[in-house]
Amino acid sequence: MPIFYVTCWYSSKNMSDQSPDASGPDGSGYLPGLALDAVIFGFHENQLRILLLEYRNTGLFALPGGFIRENEDLNAAARRMLAERTGLSDIYLEQFYVFGDQARHDPAPMRSIMIANGLAPTEYHWLLRRFVSVGYYALVDFTKAVPRPDALSDSCDWYDLDRLPQLMQDHQTIVQKALETLRINLDRKLVEWASSLLPDTFTMAELQSLYETILNEKLHRSGFQRKMLSLGVLERIDKKYTGGAHKAPYVYRFVAV
Amino acid sequence: MPIFYVTCWYSSKNMSDQSPDASGPDGSGYLPGLALDAVIFGFHENQLRILLLEYRNTGLFALPGGFIRENEDLNAAARRMLAERTGLSDIYLEQFYVFGDQARHDPAPMRSIMIANGLAPTEYHWLLRRFVSVGYYALVDFTKAVPRPDALSDSCDWYDLDRLPQLMQDHQTIVQKALETLRINLDRKLVEWASSLLPDTFTMAELQSLYETILNEKLHRSGFQRKMLSLGVLERIDKKYTGGAHKAPYVYRFVAV
DNA sequence: TTCTATTGTAACAATTTGTTACAATAATAA
DNA sequence: TTATTATTGTAACAAATTGTTACAATAGAA
């Protein structure tokens, strides 16, 4: 019972128009039907934001996403996509959920985007087909990122979590689920996250404001300080003279594990 | 710039030999390159086991897996696969990780399995290609399941977690990650899991043994009872006369949320 | 020098968890 | 009937953790 399975990519234009990695604008070279969407959390001075793309002439906003090359690990694809969008490479990145309902398949917005970009996609264009998408969340200091739009979008920028524009498809759901994951994992993953979210050294007040911003609630200063110190992962470095008319706080660093 | 993307399934035999759902043994009707693997945890009387398939004449063991139909939700596919393997439908099931490294692509074992089953797969047979696999864990009372082998395997049975046979590919890693997830989530998900892991009513000792088995550590009886009662989700039902020469324990039920 | 805002930490209370102890049984055997 | 036994439910207390308040120690500005 010899059976053959072949995935074919047809392009009416030039099959040879491909980037060096052998993945091209016709979708060839990518794993078919599988995508990534990333909720990139940016933190800086009490502010928690996420990175969104705005598509040209459409008023449509979306999470940065991407595809997986045939000769690429899934997580590596997420890391590559992230670097393309932010210019950052050593940041925390983790899967949190796979969005695989049929209901999320809605070719209309993507068709609008393509048309707004001067393309005339056929009904069966690969970008208009059903995708199962792996959700990733990433953590960065947003002052370190250099957001770059992708080929179809004219802006890539940070948006306050509580003032998000209307998002495409199920991207609002994806953001919500990412935020839940962030909150659930905060205590357990703090040390892993620290280098992505905080400068090398930081004051206790900065660490507390990170907690408060992520959890969206006020914490008691004294108890917080005691709890953090009791974790045994903080090393006190120096005093920090901020210029304020008050005692100078210490700066801390997470000790290597 | 009209571009076409078409996925083609070639079968040297009969393209019409398909199940009613339009997914066939040639892989057509399924989302290409995407699979599921399930770690089905079975609990009963202090024992935690998982369900494994043994492939005919190969000595190879594997997690039950499956594919996603083109007109099926991802989670629905997992639920269907689970029902096919266990006969159970109302059980707890959740994604925990996507395994998407290229390194996991190793066609050798699957080729052996197919050959052992009298098939002569070509090099490009769909089952021998790279798959990204969504890992699910499920929770059942293993006395309620009726394990059924799939087409290529001659047994489907429960194995003690600490006495697993050698598993195919990266399935050992998948089991490990599922177990970690189970432990991390136990407290937070207890109520959701209860109906899959415990009988409708249960004694405190049974609940404690569930905890101890999952966490693989002894807990203090008194503190455990107090903690569980303080959750405010247990309803005391009745006494249970077990026949033992001692005080009869109460049986509890989780109250509806 | 005084004043102000913020920090680090002590002090104590409240709560939660760890541990031990013991009375309350269901059977069983004397 | 009456011990005996194994387990259960919970009280009692200790230990640890967390919540809250208080206060001394500044770094700068007035």
Side-chain angles (χ1 to χ4, degrees), chain A residues 2 4 6 8 10 12 72 130, chain B residues 2 4 6 8 10 12 72 130:
Chain A
F4 305 90
V6 180
C8 314
Y10 290 110
S12 68
E72 183 177 46
R130 175 185 177 187
Chain B
F4 304 91
V6 181
C8 314
Y10 290 111
S12 68
E72 183 177 46
R130 175 185 178 188

Side-chain angles (χ1 to χ4, degrees), chain B residues 194-229:
Chain B
S195 65
S196 295
L197 288 172
L198 289 167
D200 204 49
T201 64
F202 48 87
T203 67
M204 199 53 82
E206 286 166 342
L207 182 55
Q208 182 171 345
S209 112
L210 171 65
Y211 258 79
E212 291 179 339
T213 304
I214 289 178
L215 299 179
N216 197 29
E217 62 179 317
K218 282 278 162 211
L219 301 174
H220 285 275
R221 187 178 63 88
S222 180
F224 181 81
Q225 170 136 342
R226 188 176 42 191
K227 180 177 155 187
M228 286 301 120
L229 292 179

Side-chain angles (χ1 to χ4, degrees), chain A residues 77-123:
Chain A
R79 207 160 279 288
R80 169 176 56 76
M81 186 269 281
L82 207 67
E84 288 168 2
R85 247 8 94 234
T86 66
L88 298 174
S89 50
D90 283 326
I91 62 182
Y92 187 87
L93 174 70
E94 195 175 47
Q95 303 173 10
F96 66 95
Y97 197 74
V98 187
F99 299 87
D101 280 359
Q102 293 172 268
R104 72 190 301 276
H105 179 216
D106 172 16
M110 183 51 76
R111 176 173 290 121
S112 308
I113 291 164
M114 297 176 79
I115 291 172
N117 279 270
L119 304 176
T122 65
E123 193 179 346

